[in-house]
Each structure stands twice: as C-alpha cells, then as structure tokens.
Amino acid sequence: MAKKAAAGTPATALLTGQKVEHTLHPYDVSPDAPNYGALVAEALGIGPGRVFKTLIADVDGSLVVGVVPVTGDLDLKALAHAAGGKRANLADRAAAERSSGYVRGGISPLGQRKKLPTVIDDSALDLDRMYVSAGRRGLQVALAPADLIRLTEAVTATIRT
C-alpha cells in the first residue's frame, strides 16, 4: 500500500488518488553520472530493461512525452511517427521542466503540469512491472505498464533505438 510519504510529488499523489497499486524505490545516483539509467537499475537491484526514462521532445512544434528503456535511446523519427508528426527533436531542458513541472533527472510521465501526448515504448508491454521516475531525483515508482498507459492516455510504439 502507498505510504504517507507517497503524497510527496504530483506523480505519487496521482497514483494514490487513483488507488493504483505501486511501490516507491529510493536510490542514490548522481543525475550527472554517465550511464545514469544503468546505475539506477543497479542501485535498485533490477534489470535495466525494467527501468524507463521519460524524455520530452518537440514534434512539429508541439511537446510530446516519450518513455523508453534506459538501455537505449529515444528514436526521434519513430516518436514523431507515433505522435502523428514528421519531425522531432529533444525539447530544450527549460521547456521540458516548465511544461512538466519537474526537474531534469526527475521528470515523471505521471502528474505533469501540462498533460502532453505520451508514447510509451512497446517493450513495456512484456513486463508485469516497470519503473519510471516518481517525480523527483532519487525516487522511482514501480507500477503495471497498463496503469501507466491508462493514466497518461498513452499510445505504445517501438520508439527505442
């Protein structure tokens, strides 16, 4: 069950409010460390294919959220296609932080300030639980991929490299 501390971020508040089964997993890895995602997986003692990063891209002038495993990168062309656009670039850090309400290294696909179209890599569909940022650096949340897809109204596609 969610702990009282779960109300600490918009993401955890959303999960608690929607009564979504989830677990919180703190870790201590510098957001500037090379191979950050792999280090997070190692710190949590889980396979890196279960840990996903949340990236915000500009697709034809509109911001879109991409959620991909930390084991690869975001395929911008595939993201643009999945979002119904032609061209994508990673959004600049300030735009991503302003839109999401989170800071780099702690951007969660859940509870963002502005609800953006979201594309989750289809590799998540093979998992019973996936890990994404809980909305602050040093905290991941594990939940069922179906719950993340439902709460973000996401589509799934192959968007990893």
Side-chain angles (χ1 to χ4, degrees):
M1 230 19 179
K3 302 170 189 83
K4 186 170 175 119
T9 72
T12 57
L14 173 67
L15 291 167
T16 301
Q18 293 288 315
K19 297 181 176 18
V20 172
E21 183 189 334
H22 66 282
T23 53
L24 297 176
H25 302 271
Y27 63 92
D28 185 18
V29 174
S30 167
D32 297 318
N35 238 357
Y36 177 74
L39 293 173
V40 169
E42 186 178 312
L44 296 176
I46 57 174
R50 299 172 70 80
V51 179
F52 286 67
K53 56 189 170 185
T54 303
L55 301 169
I56 299 180
D58 179 319
V59 176
D60 297 340
S62 297
L63 295 179
V64 174
V65 176
V67 181
V68 294
V70 299
T71 52
D73 288 315
L74 176 61
D75 180 335
L76 290 165
K77 190 172 185 170
L79 177 68
H81 184 264
K86 292 187 183 333
R87 215 178 284 199
N89 295 300
L90 283 179
D92 73 56
R93 178 179 176 169
E97 290 180 349
R98 195 169 40 254
S99 170
S100 69
Y102 297 120
V103 297
R104 181 184 68 86
I107 295 179
S108 177
L110 296 160
Q112 292 193 6
R113 182 179 291 147
K114 255 180 136 176
K115 192 160 179 64
L116 299 175
T118 301
V119 182
I120 298 172
D121 187 72
D122 59 8
S123 64
L125 299 174
D126 298 330
L127 303 172
D128 59 334
R129 309 274 287 166
M130 65 187 292
Y131 292 71
V132 296
S133 174
R136 73 167 191 251
R137 293 175 182 163
L139 187 63
Q140 292 277 305
V141 61
L143 73 165
D147 287 329
L148 181 62
I149 292 164
R150 179 177 54 80
L151 292 172
T152 58
E153 299 176 16
V155 297
T156 58
T158 304
I159 57 168
R160 68 195 177 279
T161 57

